Amino acid sequence: MFQLRQLKIFVAAAETLSFTQAAKRVHLSQPSVTEQVQALEQSVGHPLFIRQNNRLRLTAAGERFASRARELLAMADDAFREVRGGIGDQGGTIRVAAPQTLCTCLLLPQLLRFADSHPGIQVSIQERNSFATAQAVLGGTADFGVVHGWPANDANLHADLLARDMPVVVMPSGHPLSQASGIRPDALAAFPLIATMEGCRYREYLDALVQESPVRPRIRGEADSVPALMRMVSAGLGVSILPRMAVDADATGARVEWRPLSTLGEGLPICLLTSASAPARHVAAFIDVIRLAATRSDEPMPAVDMKHRAGRVAIAK
């Protein structure tokens, strides 16, 4: 049977894809990390990593186990906090920054539920682009941030991989592609594309994905925000590619559908950004909630009653 210590080591290796970097994170030697991972693989009865040319890649079993390992570690942390007094009656503020799409689909529903179960907690959501999110964390105006994609390297900024958000093709209702269960990039060559502006993380993602097609689709229009892009798609101007969690038709009122994009890639990373200092206990507890929610990023988020539940939630744009 495995131990929590082994799970922490495995998660560190899964997030860094390096035994050397994992060893630094968990403050062990690299041989010790390798030994613990091997012992864990023997316990579960499957290889968790593919080792090739000093590089690591998760196996299919490793991907599944990483999700469960994070859940188990979060449950263990919750249990320890309850035994030590918990945070239920404590006050405090949680300040989190993220792009609009992740605020809407990931952070806001979880923050509202967390605030409901912790009445003394005040919560603040800051809608920022990816660069501004990192700056908010570094500058101390946000306790943590969540972004799509890896941030620029900074010694004072810690980035953890929460999950990978798989791409989907967004199309108007009744579009011919809506009959497909999975769409290959080369199938998009027959349709005009709607993209976000140059420099946007989602535009970079779209450009990388269409490189898999021998014929590059024509970009017919550009939008400076995801809601505007969704409305352009809804109007029939073209189709688009977005990470799954960026698609929130209800928030924009757009009449669109989406289907998975069959791609060779691993999906766009969803990263948690924190500073070098340890978070307060109530912030750490909420970070655990976000870790669990992000691992289920391919599932639709349930609706949230904003009208009656946003009394202690401030949203800054």
Side-chain angles (χ1 to χ4, degrees):
M1 191 64 182
F2 51 77
Q3 304 171 351
L4 286 178
R5 179 168 175 262
Q6 291 175 323
L7 293 184
K8 290 180 180 179
I9 293 170
F10 165 68
V11 168
E15 292 178 349
T16 62
L17 295 179
S18 166
F19 287 154
T20 301
Q21 294 302 317
K24 293 178 180 179
R25 183 180 296 186
V26 298
H27 308 292
L28 290 173
S29 67
Q30 188 268 329
S32 295
V33 167
T34 302
E35 180 182 340
Q36 291 298 321
V37 170
Q38 290 174 341
L40 185 60
E41 289 177 320
Q42 291 178 359
S43 295
V44 300
H46 292 280
L48 301 175
F49 292 101
I50 296 173
R51 301 156 174 86
Q52 190 172 32
N53 297 328
N54 295 322
R55 301 185 66 180
L56 295 180
R57 182 161 56 91
L58 284 168
T59 63
E63 291 277 5
R64 294 192 298 270
F65 192 71
S67 174
R68 294 300 187 186
R70 291 188 185 98
E71 293 180 15
L72 289 170
L73 290 173
M75 291 171 61
D77 286 343
D78 287 343
F80 284 131
R81 288 191 189 96
E82 289 180 9
V83 171
R84 293 169 181 169
I87 61 170
D89 297 327
Q90 296 181 11
T93 301
I94 298 173
R95 305 165 303 162
V96 55
Q100 181 267 333
T101 50
L102 290 174
C103 282
T104 300
C105 294
L106 175 62
L107 294 175
L108 188 55
Q110 304 305 323
L111 266 174
L112 292 173
R113 293 183 181 88
F114 191 83
D116 278 351
S117 59
H118 303 88
I121 299 295
Q122 298 289 322
V123 294
S124 171
I125 299 177
Q126 305 168 25
E127 289 188 2
R128 304 284 187 267
N129 62 29
S130 296
F131 177 79
T133 293
Q135 293 303 305
V137 174
L138 287 169
T141 59
D143 297 308
F144 69 95
V146 180
V147 296
H148 269 124
W150 292 103
N153 288 332
D154 190 304
N156 297 312
L157 186 68
H158 187 69
D160 281 334
L161 178 66
L162 294 178
R164 290 190 178 272
D165 202 355
M166 299 308 294
V168 297
V169 179
V170 186
M171 65 199 74
S173 295
H175 192 275
L177 290 175
S178 65
Q179 303 302 313
S181 58
I183 303 169
R184 293 178 54 83
D186 54 8
L188 300 179
F191 305 97
L193 277 183
I194 307 298
T196 52
M197 295 291 188
E198 294 279 356
C200 172
R201 186 63 53 84
Y202 299 152
R203 175 60 174 270
E204 296 172 359
Y205 189 44
L206 180 148
D207 287 342
L209 290 170
V210 297
Q211 292 295 329
E212 297 180 19
S213 171
V215 180
R216 188 178 178 89
R218 177 175 66 91
I219 294 181
R220 182 181 184 184
E222 295 180 330
D224 63 359
S225 69
V226 171
L229 180 148
M230 297 281 279
R231 288 190 289 270
M232 292 172 71
V233 171
S234 178
L237 296 178
V239 300
S240 191
I241 300 173
L242 288 170
R244 170 66 188 93
M245 289 193 70
V247 180
D248 186 5
D250 292 338
T252 62
R255 295 174 58 83
V256 300
E257 301 179 55
W258 63 266
R259 296 293 182 271
L261 180 68
S262 300
T263 175
L264 301 175
E266 297 179 312
L268 188 63
I270 301 175
C271 294
L272 172 77
L273 307 184
T274 54
S275 64
S277 58
R281 292 176 66 189
H282 60 282
V283 175
F286 182 64
I287 287 175
D288 289 342
V289 172
I290 292 301
R291 288 185 185 278
L292 289 178
T295 59
R296 299 187 294 271
S297 62
D298 59 338
E299 299 176 6
M301 291 292 173
V304 176
D305 184 355
M306 288 292 299
K307 182 177 180 181
H308 296 99
R309 299 180 61 191
R312 287 176 290 114
V313 177
I315 302 177
K317 295 184 180 289

